[in-house]
Amino acid sequence: LAVPHLVPPSPGMNFGIHFPWARAELNRNVAQDYAVGLAFAVHMVASYKLFAGTWEAPAGVARTLRFLGAMTFPLYAMHRPMMFFLVAVSPWPASSAATMVLTTLAVAAGVAVMTPVCDWLKDVLRSGLKRALPPPRLRSS
């Protein structure tokens, strides 16, 4: 929580680069964002090392956790465009509770439906790459 406050803001919030096509939230302090990302990665590795082998999740819990983990890419890729679209077509005002509920449920459902599709596509791409780029053969001596 303290990391963003430890890294001073950079000039122009983006090392002087301004993205004219972006909204204000995309013109961010890149140094702070990378510092937070690095701190998060360190915490993930430390948690893995600290808790590895201490608890075995039951099969049902492990399946659920794997599915939730697999949802992160579709969520990352789809949430903003879906939110903007749903708010634009909502019959209620953008800041109303009904629009927020509609948007939240629709994004969650869309991500849940797209997760197996993304996993399938990942497998197809991986097998295609393995065929296109076979591992090098080792020379026997």
Side-chain angles (χ1 to χ4, degrees):
L1 294 174
V3 170
H5 304 290
L6 297 175
V7 178
S10 59
M13 297 302 285
N14 228 352
F15 299 111
I17 300 169
H18 179 75
F19 301 113
W21 61 86
R23 295 189 172 272
E25 68 267 11
L26 295 179
N27 288 306
R28 301 174 46 87
N29 185 334
V30 175
Q32 283 181 347
D33 289 349
Y34 274 98
V36 170
L38 179 64
F40 181 76
V42 167
H43 280 85
M44 293 297 288
V45 170
S47 297
Y48 176 76
K49 295 293 185 183
L50 183 63
F51 297 112
T54 60
W55 179 70
E56 184 91 17
V61 172
R63 255 190 319 276
T64 302
L65 291 175
R66 280 192 199 99
F67 181 75
L68 291 173
M71 289 177 77
T72 58
F73 178 74
L75 177 65
Y76 165 76
M78 295 172 40
H79 79 281
R80 283 182 71 94
M82 282 184 72
M83 286 185 334
F84 290 157
F85 174 76
L86 291 166
V87 168
V89 300
S90 173
W92 305 288
S95 61
S96 71
T99 297
M100 289 182 210
V101 169
L102 166 77
T103 303
T104 301
L105 293 178
V107 168
V111 168
V113 167
M114 289 306 295
T115 295
V117 175
C118 288
D119 284 346
W120 170 81
L121 183 59
K122 175 184 67 178
D123 294 338
V124 167
L125 292 172
R126 182 177 291 144
S127 66
L129 282 174
K130 281 182 180 177
R131 279 193 308 275
L133 304 169
R137 292 187 180 162
L138 299 175
R139 289 189 240 174
S140 50
S141 40

